[in-house]
Amino acid sequence: MRHRCRYFSVAQNNWNARKGLVLGVYESEEEDDSLHLTESAAGVNRVLSGKLTELLKISGPGLKKGKSRIFYGLHEDFPCIAVVGLGRNSLGVCGTEYWDTCKENIRAAIAGGCRVLQNHVLTHIEVDGCNDSQSAAEGAVLGLFTYDDLKTKKKTRVTTQLHGSGCVSGWEKGVLYGEGQNLARYLMEAPANHVTPSVFADTITNRLAPYADHVIVHKRSQEWIEEQQMGAFLSVSKGSEEPPVFLELHYNGCPDNAQCPLLLVGKGITFDSGGISLKPPSGMDAMRADMGGAATVCSAIITAAALNLPINIIGLAPLCENMPSGKANKPGDVVTAKNGKTIQVDNTDAEGRLILADALCYAHSFNPRAIVNAATLTGAMDVALGSAATGVFTNSDWVTYILWCLSLVWRMPLFQHYTRQVTDCQLADLNNVGKYSRSGGACTAAAFLREFVTAPHWAHLDIAGVMTNKDEELLASYSG
């Protein structure tokens, strides 16, 4: 027993190295507690003359999916080793969950292991590729994210690298996927007084600077917005002292092809007070993330540029605040959108659809093959689906299939039933809320947006439910 305890001691010189290692083990396919080491874990176990498996056996029952154990002083190069449970290796795409279970298990397990070692004040972690280096990298990068820029005491900054002889290209791709998502998370977490419309646009511009040879950035001013006759967008922004910005990104990954196959539009409300229709104070601080659509669209284009994807993408992000003031929209006001349609604004807290309406009209000028807009649009979507999936409203089965293959989405109805609820309006062509108020709120919002779309392939992603991760361990990062 004394001999075994020696493995848990930590030599001072090893501890000062501050390096950690995350290794994975699979559950047995049989109904027992036996474990199967990954290739990297088996290699470490051989170097340690079997000590790793010995300690796993005596330290408790079989390591289940998502659980971890920490061992100290086992390896001279790594004072801390986290062994994480990956579940069963035979699992693949799950027909009920609509994801690759094995990949998701790797992401979640590696994320948990990296966080545990970060809490041990380690500055560098090597990560087992678990036979899927991309998923392991995504888990490591996503799991180590934290927003503490404004705190005096910050978490330990950790660098990661692939351990052993896994797929380096897969690891590098996974890092870029994870960093892209973390940029969106960073923008959404930052306080609204630190990420104004102008600061948001400057942040994206700076992030795209290394790819200036194939990315063009236009930071459009209020004067340009007025010239474009974007009356719906301007009506929302006029309540704030912060001037609006219309951010336009052109990624030319296929310069020989002038066509724009994909156009992305993101809602960019950098803070949503509700305007005159003021939101209740409880939870209003989360409305700093109401530009999540713009954050994800811009982050996606940055990631595409980093990966040098052979595709042309245009991204549009109307950016402004929705604030109450003497100049703000009032319930009952009528504004005119870019396409000439008039809108009765009965609820100033339904402002996201107003700025998207003008952006969608402008999007058609590029004659794209497909338009996809993303927005933290309605609380009704959170009620309907929670944080498990994004609600997608679309006029195209083709777009539906692509989105379904690449992400966790659930198709929602885009019936004329909902269109009639926004076109039956007393003062204007459209009302910005449905006739029956909260009933089918996500559906009437999508029906409103469809009034500004003529493209045959369009999808509206309502990401309000997935804008926050509550107590779930959802780390899905799709690689299509």
Side-chain angles (χ1 to χ4, degrees):
M1 180 62 69
R2 288 170 54 192
H3 181 66
R4 285 174 176 168
C5 288
R6 188 172 51 127
Y7 301 154
F8 291 87
S9 65
V10 181
Q12 186 63 38
N13 60 337
N14 281 351
W15 182 254
N16 288 337
R18 295 191 181 282
K19 289 175 62 178
L21 176 63
V22 179
L23 298 172
V25 295
Y26 290 103
E27 291 180 27
S28 171
E29 299 296 329
E30 308 296 331
E31 296 299 327
D32 57 41
D33 284 338
S34 63
L35 297 172
H36 300 277
L37 303 181
T38 62
E39 182 179 343
S40 291
V44 171
N45 189 51
R46 286 193 294 272
V47 170
L48 298 175
S49 303
K51 293 177 183 177
L52 182 62
T53 52
E54 181 182 353
L55 285 174
L56 284 170
K57 289 177 182 178
I58 67 174
S59 60
L63 200 58
K64 299 300 181 182
K65 178 187 72 174
K67 302 298 182 181
S68 63
R69 293 198 186 123
I70 311 298
F71 301 109
Y72 304 96
L74 261 182
H75 197 292
E76 62 179 358
D77 294 330
F78 305 102
C80 290
I81 297 179
V83 181
V84 297
L86 303 174
R88 295 185 178 183
N89 192 24
S90 61
L91 302 175
V93 176
C94 178
T96 55
E97 295 291 337
Y98 297 98
W99 64 20
D100 188 313
T101 303
C102 192
K103 289 179 178 292
E104 185 62 15
N105 288 349
I106 291 172
R107 293 186 190 104
I110 294 298
C114 287
R115 283 195 294 265
V116 167
L117 294 185
Q118 183 184 37
N119 291 336
H120 283 69
V121 202
L122 302 178
T123 57
H124 184 74
I125 299 173
E126 293 192 16
V127 177
D128 183 350
C130 303
N131 301 318
D132 186 346
S133 298
Q134 180 176 335
S135 296
E138 291 168 3
V141 174
L142 292 171
L144 290 170
F145 171 80
T146 183
Y147 182 86
D148 57 5
D149 287 22
L150 306 177
K151 291 185 176 182
T152 304
K153 186 177 180 180
K154 304 180 187 301
K155 276 202 169 187
T156 304
R157 292 296 180 259
V158 180
T159 58
T160 60
Q161 73 177 69
L162 179 64
H163 178 77
S165 58
C167 178
V168 175
S169 62
W171 174 268
E172 292 173 345
K173 185 177 182 181
V175 168
L176 291 175
Y177 271 66
E179 288 178 345
Q181 293 178 74
N182 282 348
L183 173 58
R185 297 166 77 186
Y186 177 88
L187 291 167
M188 294 171 71
E189 285 288 355
N193 64 326
H194 285 256
V195 181
T196 62
S198 182
V199 170
F200 183 106
D202 289 343
T203 300
I204 298 302
T205 301
N206 293 336
R207 290 297 187 105
L208 284 169
Y211 316 108
D213 57 333
H214 53 288
V215 178
I216 300 172
V217 179
H218 297 292
K219 183 181 174 182
R220 309 292 194 184
S221 66
Q222 180 169 337
E223 182 180 7
W224 180 90
I225 298 168
E226 291 170 350
E227 290 173 355
Q228 292 294 317
Q229 298 182 315
M230 296 183 175
F233 179 21
L234 288 167
S235 76
V236 176
S237 68
K238 67 185 181 182
S240 172
E241 295 182 359
E242 292 288 342
V245 176
F246 193 95
L247 189 61
E248 183 178 326
L249 312 176
H250 294 250
Y251 167 65
N252 300 308
C254 191
D256 295 333
N257 184 1
Q259 184 187 15
C260 170
L262 179 60
L263 196 146
L264 305 176
V265 181
K267 170 190 167 187
I269 301 292
T270 58
F271 187 76
D272 181 17
S273 68
I276 298 297
S277 307
L278 195 65
K279 293 178 181 289
S282 176
M284 191 191 288
D285 66 302
M287 290 299 99
R288 68 185 186 275
D290 207 24
M291 44 62 167
T296 53
V297 163
C298 294
S299 297
I301 291 179
I302 292 171
T303 304
L307 291 166
N308 198 26
L309 295 182
I311 186 175
N312 295 338
I313 309 173
I314 294 176
L316 306 177
L319 301 162
C320 70
E321 295 179 339
N322 182 29
M323 300 293 288
S325 78
K327 297 180 180 180
N329 278 334
K330 302 174 291 296
D333 282 0
V334 175
V335 300
T336 304
K338 180 174 172 59
N339 66 351
K341 289 189 176 183
T342 55
I343 305 165
Q344 181 176 334
V345 182
D346 272 357
N347 186 344
T348 66
D349 193 23
E351 84 298 331
R353 64 202 71 180
L354 297 178
I355 71 171
L356 285 173
D358 282 337
L360 288 169
C361 291
Y362 180 66
H364 286 76
S365 64
F366 298 99
N367 193 30
R369 185 177 182 190
I371 299 174
V372 178
N373 71 259
T376 52
L377 203 63
T378 64
M381 182 52 64
D382 184 29
V383 173
L385 297 180
S387 60
T390 292
V392 57
F393 301 82
T394 178
N395 60 1
S396 169
D397 291 338
W398 173 67
V399 171
T400 301
Y401 176 74
I402 293 173
L403 290 172
W404 181 82
C405 289
L406 301 182
S407 53
L408 270 175
V409 299
W410 193 257
R411 190 170 186 176
M412 302 291 287
L414 196 61
F415 301 151
Q416 286 296 319
H417 172 83
Y418 301 111
T419 301
R420 288 190 289 270
Q421 292 185 36
V422 295
T423 56
D424 185 5
C425 180
Q426 180 184 6
L427 301 176
D429 299 323
L430 299 167
N431 199 305
N432 79 323
V433 290
K435 184 178 179 180
Y436 303 110
S437 186
R438 293 180 61 85
S439 297
C443 301
T444 54
F448 176 90
L449 292 179
R450 185 169 62 170
E451 293 299 301
F452 301 91
V453 174
T454 58
H457 301 294
W458 162 72
H460 157 55
L461 307 182
D462 193 333
I463 61 173
V466 297
M467 71 179 283
T468 56
N469 191 28
K470 300 179 177 67
D471 60 349
E472 302 93 344
E473 192 67 40
L474 295 173
L475 287 168
S477 172
Y478 300 91
S479 56

